[in-house]
Amino acid sequence: MGVARRYVIQMVNTTLRRAQPRIAIVHDWLTVYAGAERVLEQMLAVYPQADLYCVCDFLPESYRGFLQGRVPRTTFIQRLPLARRHYRSYLPLMPLAIEQLDLSAYDIVLSSSHAVAKGVLTGADQLHVSYVHSPMRYAWDLQHQYLRESGLGKGLKGWAARWMLHKLRVWDLRSSFGVDVFLANSRFIAKRIRKAYRREAQVLYPPVQIDRFTPAQSKGDYYFALSRFVPYKRIDLIIDAFRRMPDKKLKIVGDGPDRSKLEASAAGFPNIEMLGFKSDAEVARLMSGARALVFAAEEDFGIVLVEAQASGTPVIAFGGGGALESVRPIGSETTVPTGVLFDEQTAEAIENAVHRLESNRAAFDPLACRAQAELFDPERFRQGLKSAVDEAWQRFLQ
């Protein structure tokens, strides 16, 4: 083959690569259809030609529709004993597992990461864009809370857990060097990325399926809480607050490890209903009819806060994390508030916030709540993602 012919072939291949880069999308693991999976769904909509990889895939058949027939390529974690039920127990092996994925055939790697997905290995001629839901919470600033809530604060198991988390931190920091562009799901997470990795991140708010929700013509006589029943969600504080307000009704939807403990706490208080798991349609109905959503966790973003506003329902939320970016609080510079924020994670603070919302109810407009939620429409996310990746790709090729 002549030099001129090889040069022409090389130029043609380079032109094709610039115009149609090969793309891989890497997700942590597929076991439920929750917030991170809704982000993945939109990534797949933007890049339908992309191949999908993850640590393990145990997603129930009823939730697989958003994959559009894709069968993700997985790691050796998929085949380990009892992995379907206890995949999280293999977390110490996941850094090794994610590094075994061979992505050398791709030009662009797009990772969706709250654990290990951003740690895939890429080469100097590959662009890696990582959308970070959060740096590993349990390995960084929430380590002590995680150990307490897991019963690992003391003893030999506690020391073993601390050593494992230390090793995860070292690996997590090292793997951040392989990311070319960080995207964060909120300014709050961008600050955590800066703290953990000393890297800047562009903020791209996650997509919220606001079309599932419709403002009700009239509100009911109850407050509403929706959450997984795990310690950091602080449903216990919400129950305590409404035990102090027997004249205020509270409906709670959710399930999780703390369910029996929370149900015991609510027992004997007829104003508090523990409704367990409900379908999406039933959740939408309850959300639209509520006087307000009550939310006590410090979340990275907090999709449920936007869903409430999409229902025309104001929010009572802890004023930390993503709530500061998705809720327009009463008393701020805005003339049309969409919620009340409280400063401390205590039952008393929640009680005071409920009274504050009641005394200012005329200030809240369901249409204003809906308009605020529309700032997080999936189309905005898709446009923002494509723009961020396209710009990064053009810079990468220069």
Side-chain angles (χ1 to χ4, degrees):
M1 184 184 294
V3 174
R5 186 179 178 188
R6 285 199 300 269
Y7 176 76
V8 170
I9 292 174
Q10 182 180 1
M11 290 299 294
V12 169
N13 289 337
T14 300
T15 300
L16 288 174
R17 181 182 180 224
R18 286 172 178 265
Q20 296 180 322
R22 295 161 296 181
I23 300 174
I25 297 176
V26 185
H27 192 65
D28 284 307
W29 48 73
L30 284 167
T31 57
V32 296
Y33 180 58
E37 288 67 41
R38 295 178 193 274
V39 169
L40 175 62
E41 180 178 16
Q42 300 305 320
M43 289 181 171
L44 294 172
V46 175
Y47 300 108
Q49 78 280 17
D51 293 325
L52 178 60
Y53 293 80
C54 61
V55 169
C56 57
D57 172 20
F58 299 117
L59 194 66
E61 196 62 38
S62 58
Y63 293 153
R64 303 190 71 85
F66 79 97
L67 295 179
Q68 297 294 310
R70 290 179 181 82
V71 178
R73 303 178 197 184
T74 58
T75 71
F76 65 81
I77 301 291
Q78 183 80 21
R79 300 179 295 278
L80 293 180
L82 304 177
R84 178 176 293 274
R85 292 187 61 186
H86 302 289
Y87 64 94
R88 290 181 185 273
S89 298
Y90 291 115
L91 183 63
L93 295 178
M94 287 185 185
L96 174 63
I98 204 73
E99 291 177 348
Q100 303 315 302
L101 293 176
D102 183 3
L103 304 179
S104 57
Y106 301 95
D107 301 305
I108 298 175
V109 174
L110 176 60
S111 60
S112 166
S113 185
H114 60 76
V116 298
K118 80 170 196 346
V120 290
L121 301 180
T122 54
D125 59 346
Q126 295 175 288
L127 172 68
H128 182 183
V129 179
S130 186
Y131 186 87
V132 176
H133 306 275
S134 174
M136 282 192 240
R137 293 163 144 236
Y138 35 83
W140 289 98
D141 50 318
L142 297 184
Q143 171 188 289
H144 302 294
Q145 178 181 333
Y146 165 77
L147 291 171
R148 284 194 305 272
E149 292 172 353
S150 303
L152 296 171
K154 299 177 181 179
L156 186 59
K157 287 185 178 180
W159 281 107
R162 284 180 169 83
W163 176 249
M164 183 267 289
L165 293 174
H166 167 72
K167 300 296 286 186
L168 275 177
R169 272 193 301 278
V170 173
W171 175 84
D172 194 37
L173 176 59
R174 188 219 51 82
S175 67
S176 72
F177 302 155
V179 177
D180 297 292
V181 176
F182 276 106
L183 302 177
N185 72 353
S186 64
R187 293 194 301 271
F188 177 62
I189 291 304
K191 289 174 64 176
R192 296 190 70 231
I193 289 171
R194 188 181 307 121
K195 185 72 172 181
Y197 309 142
R198 289 296 188 259
R199 297 283 300 278
E200 296 300 317
Q202 177 182 336
V203 175
L204 177 61
Y205 291 118
V208 182
Q209 297 288 352
I210 62 174
D211 290 343
R212 291 175 46 220
F213 303 91
T214 304
Q217 295 297 320
S218 60
K219 293 296 184 182
D221 61 350
Y222 62 91
Y223 289 82
F224 185 57
L226 172 67
S227 175
R228 267 185 51 76
F229 294 161
V230 292
Y232 88 92
K233 294 290 189 177
R234 303 316 311 263
I235 296 296
D236 58 323
L237 295 181
I238 299 175
I239 291 174
D240 287 348
F242 279 82
R243 286 171 53 162
R244 300 157 64 130
M245 297 182 289
D247 60 320
K248 303 286 191 300
K249 293 182 181 179
L250 172 67
K251 297 179 185 289
I252 303 176
V253 167
D255 203 351
D258 285 357
R259 179 171 180 172
S260 59
K261 182 170 66 174
L262 294 173
E263 286 178 339
S265 177
F269 291 85
N271 63 313
I272 302 174
E273 289 186 73
M274 303 288 292
L275 301 177
F277 175 82
K278 293 294 180 183
S279 67
D280 286 350
E282 186 66 9
V283 166
R285 184 189 68 80
L286 289 165
M287 191 91 82
S288 294
R291 296 178 71 80
L293 174 81
V294 187
F295 192 82
E298 181 180 62
E299 282 284 15
D300 305 327
F301 176 72
I303 286 177
V304 69
L305 301 179
V306 178
E307 292 177 339
Q309 292 171 90
S311 306
T313 299
V315 170
I316 295 172
F318 173 61
L324 295 171
E325 301 172 53
S326 61
V327 180
R328 295 203 306 255
I330 194 165
S332 64
E333 294 179 0
T334 179
T335 56
V336 188
T338 62
V340 175
L341 300 182
F342 53 91
D343 295 332
E344 297 179 343
Q345 288 177 301
T346 64
E348 182 180 7
I350 295 171
E351 181 183 9
N352 291 337
V354 170
H355 292 316
R356 189 176 183 199
L357 183 136
E358 289 289 351
S359 61
N360 291 278
R361 178 154 292 279
F364 296 97
D365 179 1
L367 295 182
C369 292
R370 177 73 185 192
Q372 175 71 0
E374 288 172 353
L375 298 176
F376 306 96
D377 181 83
E379 179 60 28
R380 286 177 178 256
F381 175 84
R382 292 193 294 269
Q383 292 176 357
L385 178 67
K386 189 174 188 310
S387 176
V389 173
D390 286 351
E391 290 175 9
W393 180 236
Q394 293 306 313
R395 290 196 305 269
F396 190 76
L397 292 174
Q398 292 175 0

